Amino acid sequence: MKQEDINKSIVRDFYRRAVSQGDIAFAEEIVADDYIQHSSAVKPGKAGLLEALHYMKQMPKPATTSTPFMRLLAEGDYVVTNMSFGWDGKQKVVVDIFRFRAGQVVEHWDALQDQPETTLNGHAMMDGDVAPGDADLAVSNKAVVKDFYQRVFVNKQLEAMSDFVAPDLIQHCPEISNGLIGLKDYLAYKSDSMSIEKIDLLIGEGNFVVVQSEGKLNQKNTTFYDVFRLTDGKIVEHWGVKQISL
C-alpha cells in the first residue's frame, strides 16, 4: 500500500475513532509529540488537541450520523479533507490539511465557514465531484493550477483567466456566480479589498488540486483554501473556504 493511502486511512480512523467515538488513546498514538497546531480554535500542541477531543467526547452525540467528509485527497506527506457537519444548529464547511511524518500527524491547518442558506451560484459549498480521478494527471494539473493561481489570483492578470478556466465553470463559493465570467467579475470587484500575496501549499491528486495561500481580505490577514477540479487541462469546478485572523 502506498504511503498516501496509509495516511488517508489514518485520517479516516482519526475522524471515526478519535472524533466520533472519543478514542483518545488512538489520538495519542497517531499524533506526534511535537505536533504543530495552526487552528485558532484549538490550544497549541498535542496537549491542546487531546484537550479538545476530551471536550468533544463529553458533548451530546447527534441522533443520526453521516460520512464526515466528502473529499479525501493526498500527496506526499499531506492529506486534505473537505467536509461538512452540523454544529450548534448550523451547517459548517471545513478544509483540513494534515502533514504526516513516519505514520504520525505532525502539523495541522484548517478553515471553517458557515454554509449560507442561499448562494449566487445555486450550489451548496460541499456538493459536486469527489473522486480524485486519474492519478497520472496530478503533475500536469498541479502545473496548470500553479500558473493560473500565480497569474490570476496573486498577480491579478484577469485577462489570462480564459487560458485556464472553462467557460461553464461550476462554482461552489457562495458569493461567486457560475462560469468563467462569474469568477472574473468577482475578482475584479474584490480587487481593492482582497489581495493574495503568496502560495503556501499546492497539493494534488488526480483531477483535484488544493491551494493554500495567504493574503488580506478587508485589511485583515487571511488564509485562503481553494479546491479546483480539472478536465482536459482546464479548471471546471471550484470550491473555497477562507480563515480570517482575529
Side-chain angles (χ1 to χ4, degrees):
M1 184 181 289
K2 295 195 308 180
Q3 189 61 49
E4 287 93 341
D5 293 329
I6 294 171
N7 292 344
K8 279 186 177 183
S9 179
I10 292 171
V11 168
R12 286 193 195 97
D13 285 343
F14 172 76
Y15 282 110
R16 180 176 59 86
R17 295 176 58 179
V19 177
S20 296
Q21 300 174 4
D23 187 346
I24 307 301
F26 177 74
E28 290 178 334
E29 175 187 343
I30 61 102
V31 176
D33 290 338
D34 57 348
Y35 171 78
I36 302 169
Q37 177 65 265
H38 295 277
S39 174
S40 59
V42 182
K43 292 180 181 178
K46 182 175 182 176
L49 176 59
L50 295 178
E51 180 182 315
L53 291 172
H54 274 289
Y55 172 75
M56 293 174 65
K57 186 177 181 180
Q58 308 306 316
M59 296 183 66
K61 296 294 186 291
T64 60
T65 59
S66 59
T67 304
F69 48 79
M70 288 181 63
R71 288 172 198 91
L72 181 63
L73 309 169
E75 182 191 8
D77 295 331
Y78 294 93
V79 174
V80 181
T81 65
N82 184 199
M83 72 178 105
S84 177
F85 60 92
W87 184 271
D88 196 25
K90 295 182 178 180
Q91 198 67 19
K92 307 286 186 178
V93 177
V94 63
V95 171
D96 286 282
I97 299 179
F98 302 88
R99 182 172 68 85
F100 278 79
R101 182 188 63 218
Q104 287 189 307
V105 179
V106 294
E107 198 164 5
H108 170 251
W109 302 259
D110 70 358
L112 181 75
Q113 278 186 237
D114 290 341
Q115 168 69 56
E117 293 185 4
T118 61
T119 69
L120 285 181
N121 48 62
H123 300 132
M125 292 178 69
M126 275 300 303
D127 58 8
D129 257 10
V130 284
D134 191 345
D136 293 339
L137 297 175
V139 172
S140 60
N141 284 338
K142 281 182 67 178
V144 170
V145 170
K146 183 179 181 180
D147 193 14
F148 160 73
Y149 208 89
Q150 183 65 44
R151 292 175 63 184
V152 173
F153 278 73
V154 179
N155 298 337
K156 300 185 178 182
Q157 298 172 0
L158 302 188
E159 69 280 1
M161 191 178 296
S162 59
D163 294 338
F164 304 96
V165 179
D168 56 349
L169 172 72
I170 303 169
Q171 184 61 252
H172 297 275
C173 296
E175 66 274 20
I176 308 177
S177 298
N178 286 310
L180 184 155
I181 295 300
L183 180 58
K184 189 173 184 178
D185 287 348
Y186 173 79
L187 292 177
Y189 174 73
K190 286 289 187 180
S191 180
D192 293 333
S193 60
M194 183 178 77
S195 63
I196 295 178
E197 296 160 4
K198 67 171 184 173
I199 297 171
D200 291 326
L201 290 173
L202 195 73
I203 301 163
E205 182 181 359
N207 296 324
F208 285 89
V209 179
V210 180
V211 181
Q212 181 200 56
S213 62
E214 59 184 270
K216 292 186 183 299
L217 182 63
N218 298 325
Q219 300 183 336
K220 293 184 178 181
N221 292 332
T222 303
T223 304
F224 300 88
Y225 296 81
D226 290 282
V227 182
F228 301 99
R229 182 174 68 85
L230 291 85
T231 297
D232 297 328
K234 288 272 192 173
I235 296 168
V236 297
E237 199 162 7
H238 175 223
W239 300 260
V241 180
K242 51 188 173 288
Q243 187 68 50
I244 301 173
S245 300
L246 300 177

PDB file of all heavy atoms in Angstrom, residues 62-97:
ATOM      1  N   PRO A  62     -25.253  13.478  18.157  1.00  0.00           N
ATOM      2  CA  PRO A  62     -26.483  13.632  17.360  1.00  0.00           C
ATOM      3  C   PRO A  62     -27.209  12.304  17.205  1.00  0.00           C
ATOM      4  O   PRO A  62     -26.600  11.233  17.288  1.00  0.00           O
ATOM      5  CB  PRO A  62     -25.967  14.157  16.020  1.00  0.00           C
ATOM      6  CG  PRO A  62     -24.548  13.703  15.953  1.00  0.00           C
ATOM      7  CD  PRO A  62     -24.041  13.726  17.371  1.00  0.00           C
ATOM      8  N   ALA A  63     -28.507  12.377  16.959  1.00  0.00           N
ATOM      9  CA  ALA A  63     -29.308  11.167  16.817  1.00  0.00           C
ATOM     10  C   ALA A  63     -28.888  10.357  15.597  1.00  0.00           C
ATOM     11  O   ALA A  63     -28.949   9.131  15.585  1.00  0.00           O
ATOM     12  CB  ALA A  63     -30.785  11.536  16.723  1.00  0.00           C
ATOM     13  N   THR A  64     -28.480  11.030  14.543  1.00  0.00           N
ATOM     14  CA  THR A  64     -28.015  10.351  13.333  1.00  0.00           C
ATOM     15  C   THR A  64     -26.646  10.885  12.953  1.00  0.00           C
ATOM     16  O   THR A  64     -26.301  12.033  13.253  1.00  0.00           O
ATOM     17  CB  THR A  64     -28.982  10.576  12.158  1.00  0.00           C
ATOM     18  OG1 THR A  64     -29.079  11.991  11.897  1.00  0.00           O
ATOM     19  CG2 THR A  64     -30.360  10.024  12.482  1.00  0.00           C
ATOM     20  N   THR A  65     -25.863  10.048  12.318  1.00  0.00           N
ATOM     21  CA  THR A  65     -24.526  10.453  11.890  1.00  0.00           C
ATOM     22  C   THR A  65     -24.429  10.295  10.380  1.00  0.00           C
ATOM     23  O   THR A  65     -25.191   9.571   9.754  1.00  0.00           O
ATOM     24  CB  THR A  65     -23.439   9.603  12.563  1.00  0.00           C
ATOM     25  OG1 THR A  65     -23.662   8.225  12.235  1.00  0.00           O
ATOM     26  CG2 THR A  65     -23.460   9.781  14.072  1.00  0.00           C
ATOM     27  N   SER A  66     -23.465  10.979   9.786  1.00  0.00           N
ATOM     28  CA  SER A  66     -23.240  10.892   8.350  1.00  0.00           C
ATOM     29  C   SER A  66     -21.744  10.824   8.087  1.00  0.00           C
ATOM     30  O   SER A  66     -20.933  11.023   8.991  1.00  0.00           O
ATOM     31  CB  SER A  66     -23.842  12.109   7.636  1.00  0.00           C
ATOM     32  OG  SER A  66     -23.268  13.296   8.136  1.00  0.00           O
ATOM     33  N   THR A  67     -21.381  10.526   6.850  1.00  0.00           N
ATOM     34  CA  THR A  67     -19.966  10.490   6.489  1.00  0.00           C
ATOM     35  C   THR A  67     -19.329  11.838   6.786  1.00  0.00           C
ATOM     36  O   THR A  67     -19.839  12.868   6.344  1.00  0.00           O
ATOM     37  CB  THR A  67     -19.815  10.167   4.993  1.00  0.00           C
ATOM     38  OG1 THR A  67     -20.480   8.938   4.721  1.00  0.00           O
ATOM     39  CG2 THR A  67     -18.349  10.049   4.609  1.00  0.00           C
ATOM     40  N   PRO A  68     -18.226  11.872   7.541  1.00  0.00           N
ATOM     41  CA  PRO A  68     -17.698  13.156   7.997  1.00  0.00           C
ATOM     42  C   PRO A  68     -17.045  14.000   6.910  1.00  0.00           C
ATOM     43  O   PRO A  68     -16.847  15.187   7.097  1.00  0.00           O
ATOM     44  CB  PRO A  68     -16.657  12.755   9.051  1.00  0.00           C
ATOM     45  CG  PRO A  68     -16.256  11.365   8.669  1.00  0.00           C
ATOM     46  CD  PRO A  68     -17.484  10.743   8.089  1.00  0.00           C
ATOM     47  N   PHE A  69     -16.655  13.426   5.790  1.00  0.00           N
ATOM     48  CA  PHE A  69     -16.065  14.239   4.741  1.00  0.00           C
ATOM     49  C   PHE A  69     -16.479  13.722   3.370  1.00  0.00           C
ATOM     50  O   PHE A  69     -16.813  12.559   3.207  1.00  0.00           O
ATOM     51  CB  PHE A  69     -14.544  14.308   4.845  1.00  0.00           C
ATOM     52  CG  PHE A  69     -13.890  12.977   5.037  1.00  0.00           C
ATOM     53  CD1 PHE A  69     -13.695  12.120   3.975  1.00  0.00           C
ATOM     54  CD2 PHE A  69     -13.460  12.583   6.284  1.00  0.00           C
ATOM     55  CE1 PHE A  69     -13.093  10.893   4.161  1.00  0.00           C
ATOM     56  CE2 PHE A  69     -12.857  11.356   6.465  1.00  0.00           C
ATOM     57  CZ  PHE A  69     -12.666  10.511   5.420  1.00  0.00           C
ATOM     58  N   MET A  70     -16.472  14.629   2.398  1.00  0.00           N
ATOM     59  CA  MET A  70     -16.814  14.237   1.033  1.00  0.00           C
ATOM     60  C   MET A  70     -15.563  14.033   0.196  1.00  0.00           C
ATOM     61  O   MET A  70     -15.519  13.167  -0.644  1.00  0.00           O
ATOM     62  CB  MET A  70     -17.699  15.304   0.389  1.00  0.00           C
ATOM     63  CG  MET A  70     -19.108  15.339   0.955  1.00  0.00           C
ATOM     64  SD  MET A  70     -20.129  16.588   0.138  1.00  0.00           S
ATOM     65  CE  MET A  70     -20.173  15.970  -1.547  1.00  0.00           C
ATOM     66  N   ARG A  71     -14.534  14.844   0.416  1.00  0.00           N
ATOM     67  CA  ARG A  71     -13.313  14.736  -0.370  1.00  0.00           C
ATOM     68  C   ARG A  71     -12.136  14.397   0.531  1.00  0.00           C
ATOM     69  O   ARG A  71     -11.960  14.993   1.582  1.00  0.00           O
ATOM     70  CB  ARG A  71     -13.037  16.051  -1.122  1.00  0.00           C
ATOM     71  CG  ARG A  71     -13.998  16.240  -2.250  1.00  0.00           C
ATOM     72  CD  ARG A  71     -13.933  17.594  -2.921  1.00  0.00           C
ATOM     73  NE  ARG A  71     -15.186  17.741  -3.660  1.00  0.00           N
ATOM     74  CZ  ARG A  71     -16.265  18.297  -3.147  1.00  0.00           C
ATOM     75  NH1 ARG A  71     -16.238  18.814  -1.928  1.00  0.00           N
ATOM     76  NH2 ARG A  71     -17.390  18.346  -3.831  1.00  0.00           N
ATOM     77  N   LEU A  72     -11.349  13.440   0.085  1.00  0.00           N
ATOM     78  CA  LEU A  72     -10.166  12.999   0.821  1.00  0.00           C
ATOM     79  C   LEU A  72      -9.049  12.845  -0.198  1.00  0.00           C
ATOM     80  O   LEU A  72      -9.083  11.952  -1.046  1.00  0.00           O
ATOM     81  CB  LEU A  72     -10.447  11.675   1.532  1.00  0.00           C
ATOM     82  CG  LEU A  72      -9.330  11.080   2.382  1.00  0.00           C
ATOM     83  CD1 LEU A  72      -8.975  12.013   3.545  1.00  0.00           C
ATOM     84  CD2 LEU A  72      -9.735   9.712   2.908  1.00  0.00           C
ATOM     85  N   LEU A  73      -8.074  13.751  -0.149  1.00  0.00           N
ATOM     86  CA  LEU A  73      -7.008  13.817  -1.144  1.00  0.00           C
ATOM     87  C   LEU A  73      -5.658  13.733  -0.449  1.00  0.00           C
ATOM     88  O   LEU A  73      -5.502  14.201   0.687  1.00  0.00           O
ATOM     89  CB  LEU A  73      -7.101  15.122  -1.930  1.00  0.00           C
ATOM     90  CG  LEU A  73      -8.471  15.460  -2.527  1.00  0.00           C
ATOM     91  CD1 LEU A  73      -8.494  16.892  -3.031  1.00  0.00           C
ATOM     92  CD2 LEU A  73      -8.812  14.484  -3.649  1.00  0.00           C
ATOM     93  N   ALA A  74      -4.690  13.148  -1.124  1.00  0.00           N
ATOM     94  CA  ALA A  74      -3.369  13.009  -0.515  1.00  0.00           C
ATOM     95  C   ALA A  74      -2.277  13.128  -1.564  1.00  0.00           C
ATOM     96  O   ALA A  74      -2.429  12.674  -2.704  1.00  0.00           O
ATOM     97  CB  ALA A  74      -3.249  11.668   0.204  1.00  0.00           C
ATOM     98  N   GLU A  75      -1.181  13.739  -1.143  1.00  0.00           N
ATOM     99  CA  GLU A  75       0.048  13.783  -1.947  1.00  0.00           C
ATOM    100  C   GLU A  75       1.230  13.871  -1.002  1.00  0.00           C
ATOM    101  O   GLU A  75       1.272  14.737  -0.119  1.00  0.00           O
ATOM    102  CB  GLU A  75       0.069  14.975  -2.892  1.00  0.00           C
ATOM    103  CG  GLU A  75       1.328  14.987  -3.756  1.00  0.00           C
ATOM    104  CD  GLU A  75       1.535  16.280  -4.525  1.00  0.00           C
ATOM    105  OE1 GLU A  75       0.781  17.238  -4.290  1.00  0.00           O
ATOM    106  OE2 GLU A  75       2.476  16.341  -5.339  1.00  0.00           O
ATOM    107  N   GLY A  76       2.182  12.972  -1.180  1.00  0.00           N
ATOM    108  CA  GLY A  76       3.371  13.004  -0.337  1.00  0.00           C
ATOM    109  C   GLY A  76       3.006  12.908   1.132  1.00  0.00           C
ATOM    110  O   GLY A  76       2.311  11.986   1.566  1.00  0.00           O
ATOM    111  N   ASP A  77       3.457  13.874   1.920  1.00  0.00           N
ATOM    112  CA  ASP A  77       3.224  13.877   3.365  1.00  0.00           C
ATOM    113  C   ASP A  77       1.908  14.529   3.758  1.00  0.00           C
ATOM    114  O   ASP A  77       1.610  14.641   4.958  1.00  0.00           O
ATOM    115  CB  ASP A  77       4.366  14.628   4.081  1.00  0.00           C
ATOM    116  CG  ASP A  77       5.711  13.932   3.927  1.00  0.00           C
ATOM    117  OD1 ASP A  77       5.716  12.693   3.794  1.00  0.00           O
ATOM    118  OD2 ASP A  77       6.746  14.617   3.931  1.00  0.00           O
ATOM    119  N   TYR A  78       1.119  14.988   2.794  1.00  0.00           N
ATOM    120  CA  TYR A  78      -0.073  15.777   3.101  1.00  0.00           C
ATOM    121  C   TYR A  78      -1.365  15.031   2.766  1.00  0.00           C
ATOM    122  O   TYR A  78      -1.459  14.332   1.745  1.00  0.00           O
ATOM    123  CB  TYR A  78      -0.050  17.097   2.319  1.00  0.00           C
ATOM    124  CG  TYR A  78       1.061  18.022   2.749  1.00  0.00           C
ATOM    125  CD1 TYR A  78       2.292  17.999   2.102  1.00  0.00           C
ATOM    126  CD2 TYR A  78       0.889  18.911   3.810  1.00  0.00           C
ATOM    127  CE1 TYR A  78       3.318  18.840   2.501  1.00  0.00           C
ATOM    128  CE2 TYR A  78       1.910  19.751   4.213  1.00  0.00           C
ATOM    129  CZ  TYR A  78       3.122  19.712   3.560  1.00  0.00           C
ATOM    130  OH  TYR A  78       4.144  20.544   3.959  1.00  0.00           O
ATOM    131  N   VAL A  79      -2.365  15.216   3.637  1.00  0.00           N
ATOM    132  CA  VAL A  79      -3.724  14.733   3.407  1.00  0.00           C
ATOM    133  C   VAL A  79      -4.672  15.916   3.583  1.00  0.00           C
ATOM    134  O   VAL A  79      -4.559  16.678   4.548  1.00  0.00           O
ATOM    135  CB  VAL A  79      -4.112  13.599   4.374  1.00  0.00           C
ATOM    136  CG1 VAL A  79      -5.589  13.229   4.209  1.00  0.00           C
ATOM    137  CG2 VAL A  79      -3.235  12.376   4.159  1.00  0.00           C
ATOM    138  N   VAL A  80      -5.604  16.066   2.638  1.00  0.00           N
ATOM    139  CA  VAL A  80      -6.592  17.146   2.687  1.00  0.00           C
ATOM    140  C   VAL A  80      -7.979  16.531   2.826  1.00  0.00           C
ATOM    141  O   VAL A  80      -8.323  15.598   2.091  1.00  0.00           O
ATOM    142  CB  VAL A  80      -6.551  18.012   1.412  1.00  0.00           C
ATOM    143  CG1 VAL A  80      -7.586  19.136   1.504  1.00  0.00           C
ATOM    144  CG2 VAL A  80      -5.163  18.574   1.179  1.00  0.00           C
ATOM    145  N   THR A  81      -8.774  17.037   3.762  1.00  0.00           N
ATOM    146  CA  THR A  81     -10.181  16.666   3.836  1.00  0.00           C
ATOM    147  C   THR A  81     -11.025  17.912   3.603  1.00  0.00           C
ATOM    148  O   THR A  81     -10.663  19.016   4.003  1.00  0.00           O
ATOM    149  CB  THR A  81     -10.559  16.051   5.194  1.00  0.00           C
ATOM    150  OG1 THR A  81     -10.421  17.030   6.231  1.00  0.00           O
ATOM    151  CG2 THR A  81      -9.694  14.862   5.515  1.00  0.00           C
ATOM    152  N   ASN A  82     -12.146  17.716   2.928  1.00  0.00           N
ATOM    153  CA  ASN A  82     -13.108  18.790   2.670  1.00  0.00           C
ATOM    154  C   ASN A  82     -14.458  18.242   3.119  1.00  0.00           C
ATOM    155  O   ASN A  82     -15.004  17.350   2.483  1.00  0.00           O
ATOM    156  CB  ASN A  82     -13.097  19.123   1.186  1.00  0.00           C
ATOM    157  CG  ASN A  82     -13.985  20.294   0.817  1.00  0.00           C
ATOM    158  OD1 ASN A  82     -14.340  20.462  -0.334  1.00  0.00           O
ATOM    159  ND2 ASN A  82     -14.365  21.133   1.771  1.00  0.00           N
ATOM    160  N   MET A  83     -14.977  18.742   4.244  1.00  0.00           N
ATOM    161  CA  MET A  83     -16.138  18.113   4.859  1.00  0.00           C
ATOM    162  C   MET A  83     -17.183  19.125   5.285  1.00  0.00           C
ATOM    163  O   MET A  83     -16.939  20.331   5.333  1.00  0.00           O
ATOM    164  CB  MET A  83     -15.701  17.277   6.062  1.00  0.00           C
ATOM    165  CG  MET A  83     -15.262  18.091   7.264  1.00  0.00           C
ATOM    166  SD  MET A  83     -14.814  17.037   8.637  1.00  0.00           S
ATOM    167  CE  MET A  83     -13.036  17.202   8.551  1.00  0.00           C
ATOM    168  N   SER A  84     -18.361  18.581   5.622  1.00  0.00           N
ATOM    169  CA  SER A  84     -19.465  19.393   6.113  1.00  0.00           C
ATOM    170  C   SER A  84     -20.086  18.686   7.306  1.00  0.00           C
ATOM    171  O   SER A  84     -20.223  17.456   7.291  1.00  0.00           O
ATOM    172  CB  SER A  84     -20.507  19.586   5.007  1.00  0.00           C
ATOM    173  OG  SER A  84     -21.615  20.312   5.476  1.00  0.00           O
ATOM    174  N   PHE A  85     -20.436  19.440   8.346  1.00  0.00           N
ATOM    175  CA  PHE A  85     -21.042  18.826   9.527  1.00  0.00           C
ATOM    176  C   PHE A  85     -21.921  19.843  10.241  1.00  0.00           C
ATOM    177  O   PHE A  85     -21.753  21.052  10.097  1.00  0.00           O
ATOM    178  CB  PHE A  85     -19.963  18.293  10.493  1.00  0.00           C
ATOM    179  CG  PHE A  85     -19.022  19.348  11.009  1.00  0.00           C
ATOM    180  CD1 PHE A  85     -19.288  20.023  12.195  1.00  0.00           C
ATOM    181  CD2 PHE A  85     -17.863  19.657  10.319  1.00  0.00           C
ATOM    182  CE1 PHE A  85     -18.420  20.997  12.667  1.00  0.00           C
ATOM    183  CE2 PHE A  85     -16.988  20.637  10.785  1.00  0.00           C
ATOM    184  CZ  PHE A  85     -17.272  21.308  11.967  1.00  0.00           C
ATOM    185  N   GLY A  86     -22.878  19.343  11.001  1.00  0.00           N
ATOM    186  CA  GLY A  86     -23.762  20.213  11.760  1.00  0.00           C
ATOM    187  C   GLY A  86     -23.166  20.567  13.104  1.00  0.00           C
ATOM    188  O   GLY A  86     -22.601  19.706  13.791  1.00  0.00           O
ATOM    189  N   TRP A  87     -23.294  21.845  13.493  1.00  0.00           N
ATOM    190  CA  TRP A  87     -22.747  22.294  14.776  1.00  0.00           C
ATOM    191  C   TRP A  87     -23.568  23.487  15.266  1.00  0.00           C
ATOM    192  O   TRP A  87     -23.667  24.495  14.576  1.00  0.00           O
ATOM    193  CB  TRP A  87     -21.282  22.679  14.622  1.00  0.00           C
ATOM    194  CG  TRP A  87     -20.610  23.067  15.909  1.00  0.00           C
ATOM    195  CD1 TRP A  87     -20.544  24.309  16.477  1.00  0.00           C
ATOM    196  CD2 TRP A  87     -19.901  22.206  16.802  1.00  0.00           C
ATOM    197  NE1 TRP A  87     -19.845  24.288  17.648  1.00  0.00           N
ATOM    198  CE2 TRP A  87     -19.436  22.997  17.890  1.00  0.00           C
ATOM    199  CE3 TRP A  87     -19.612  20.837  16.805  1.00  0.00           C
ATOM    200  CZ2 TRP A  87     -18.702  22.460  18.944  1.00  0.00           C
ATOM    201  CZ3 TRP A  87     -18.882  20.311  17.856  1.00  0.00           C
ATOM    202  CH2 TRP A  87     -18.435  21.111  18.903  1.00  0.00           C
ATOM    203  N   ASP A  88     -24.156  23.336  16.455  1.00  0.00           N
ATOM    204  CA  ASP A  88     -24.900  24.424  17.074  1.00  0.00           C
ATOM    205  C   ASP A  88     -26.005  24.952  16.152  1.00  0.00           C
ATOM    206  O   ASP A  88     -26.223  26.166  16.044  1.00  0.00           O
ATOM    207  CB  ASP A  88     -23.946  25.548  17.475  1.00  0.00           C
ATOM    208  CG  ASP A  88     -24.577  26.538  18.458  1.00  0.00           C
ATOM    209  OD1 ASP A  88     -25.517  26.142  19.168  1.00  0.00           O
ATOM    210  OD2 ASP A  88     -24.132  27.706  18.506  1.00  0.00           O
ATOM    211  N   GLY A  89     -26.666  24.027  15.476  1.00  0.00           N
ATOM    212  CA  GLY A  89     -27.790  24.393  14.634  1.00  0.00           C
ATOM    213  C   GLY A  89     -27.425  24.925  13.266  1.00  0.00           C
ATOM    214  O   GLY A  89     -28.312  25.318  12.499  1.00  0.00           O
ATOM    215  N   LYS A  90     -26.133  24.939  12.927  1.00  0.00           N
ATOM    216  CA  LYS A  90     -25.696  25.425  11.627  1.00  0.00           C
ATOM    217  C   LYS A  90     -24.865  24.366  10.915  1.00  0.00           C
ATOM    218  O   LYS A  90     -24.220  23.534  11.546  1.00  0.00           O
ATOM    219  CB  LYS A  90     -24.868  26.712  11.774  1.00  0.00           C
ATOM    220  CG  LYS A  90     -25.644  27.898  12.313  1.00  0.00           C
ATOM    221  CD  LYS A  90     -24.767  29.127  12.373  1.00  0.00           C
ATOM    222  CE  LYS A  90     -25.561  30.335  12.879  1.00  0.00           C
ATOM    223  NZ  LYS A  90     -24.724  31.555  12.949  1.00  0.00           N
ATOM    224  N   GLN A  91     -24.890  24.421   9.594  1.00  0.00           N
ATOM    225  CA  GLN A  91     -24.059  23.530   8.801  1.00  0.00           C
ATOM    226  C   GLN A  91     -22.720  24.202   8.544  1.00  0.00           C
ATOM    227  O   GLN A  91     -22.656  25.328   8.049  1.00  0.00           O
ATOM    228  CB  GLN A  91     -24.742  23.177   7.482  1.00  0.00           C
ATOM    229  CG  GLN A  91     -24.189  21.950   6.791  1.00  0.00           C
ATOM    230  CD  GLN A  91     -24.461  20.661   7.557  1.00  0.00           C
ATOM    231  OE1 GLN A  91     -25.334  20.624   8.411  1.00  0.00           O
ATOM    232  NE2 GLN A  91     -23.709  19.615   7.249  1.00  0.00           N
ATOM    233  N   LYS A  92     -21.654  23.528   8.919  1.00  0.00           N
ATOM    234  CA  LYS A  92     -20.302  24.066   8.769  1.00  0.00           C
ATOM    235  C   LYS A  92     -19.579  23.370   7.621  1.00  0.00           C
ATOM    236  O   LYS A  92     -19.766  22.175   7.386  1.00  0.00           O
ATOM    237  CB  LYS A  92     -19.493  23.859  10.055  1.00  0.00           C
ATOM    238  CG  LYS A  92     -20.159  24.390  11.320  1.00  0.00           C
ATOM    239  CD  LYS A  92     -20.115  25.896  11.387  1.00  0.00           C
ATOM    240  CE  LYS A  92     -20.652  26.403  12.725  1.00  0.00           C
ATOM    241  NZ  LYS A  92     -20.573  27.874  12.842  1.00  0.00           N
ATOM    242  N   VAL A  93     -18.753  24.122   6.926  1.00  0.00           N
ATOM    243  CA  VAL A  93     -17.907  23.570   5.862  1.00  0.00           C
ATOM    244  C   VAL A  93     -16.456  23.847   6.242  1.00  0.00           C
ATOM    245  O   VAL A  93     -16.106  24.969   6.630  1.00  0.00           O
ATOM    246  CB  VAL A  93     -18.241  24.207   4.500  1.00  0.00           C
ATOM    247  CG1 VAL A  93     -17.294  23.682   3.424  1.00  0.00           C
ATOM    248  CG2 VAL A  93     -19.684  23.917   4.120  1.00  0.00           C
ATOM    249  N   VAL A  94     -15.627  22.829   6.152  1.00  0.00           N
ATOM    250  CA  VAL A  94     -14.245  22.974   6.605  1.00  0.00           C
ATOM    251  C   VAL A  94     -13.288  22.288   5.631  1.00  0.00           C
ATOM    252  O   VAL A  94     -13.621  21.279   5.012  1.00  0.00           O
ATOM    253  CB  VAL A  94     -14.060  22.397   8.037  1.00  0.00           C
ATOM    254  CG1 VAL A  94     -14.345  20.911   8.060  1.00  0.00           C
ATOM    255  CG2 VAL A  94     -12.669  22.691   8.587  1.00  0.00           C
ATOM    256  N   VAL A  95     -12.110  22.887   5.489  1.00  0.00           N
ATOM    257  CA  VAL A  95     -10.981  22.242   4.825  1.00  0.00           C
ATOM    258  C   VAL A  95      -9.914  22.009   5.885  1.00  0.00           C
ATOM    259  O   VAL A  95      -9.556  22.933   6.630  1.00  0.00           O
ATOM    260  CB  VAL A  95     -10.407  23.101   3.683  1.00  0.00           C
ATOM    261  CG1 VAL A  95      -9.102  22.500   3.172  1.00  0.00           C
ATOM    262  CG2 VAL A  95     -11.408  23.220   2.541  1.00  0.00           C
ATOM    263  N   ASP A  96      -9.458  20.778   6.009  1.00  0.00           N
ATOM    264  CA  ASP A  96      -8.365  20.430   6.922  1.00  0.00           C
ATOM    265  C   ASP A  96      -7.169  19.949   6.113  1.00  0.00           C
ATOM    266  O   ASP A  96      -7.338  19.198   5.138  1.00  0.00           O
ATOM    267  CB  ASP A  96      -8.779  19.303   7.876  1.00  0.00           C
ATOM    268  CG  ASP A  96      -9.722  19.755   8.967  1.00  0.00           C
ATOM    269  OD1 ASP A  96      -9.258  20.361   9.941  1.00  0.00           O
ATOM    270  OD2 ASP A  96     -10.936  19.492   8.838  1.00  0.00           O
ATOM    271  N   ILE A  97      -5.984  20.348   6.524  1.00  0.00           N
ATOM    272  CA  ILE A  97      -4.750  19.832   5.932  1.00  0.00           C
ATOM    273  C   ILE A  97      -3.901  19.241   7.053  1.00  0.00           C
ATOM    274  O   ILE A  97      -3.628  19.904   8.055  1.00  0.00           O
ATOM    275  CB  ILE A  97      -3.958  20.921   5.194  1.00  0.00           C
ATOM    276  CG1 ILE A  97      -4.788  21.509   4.052  1.00  0.00           C
ATOM    277  CG2 ILE A  97      -2.644  20.342   4.643  1.00  0.00           C
ATOM    278  CD1 ILE A  97      -4.068  22.613   3.281  1.00  0.00           C
TER     279      ILE A  97
END
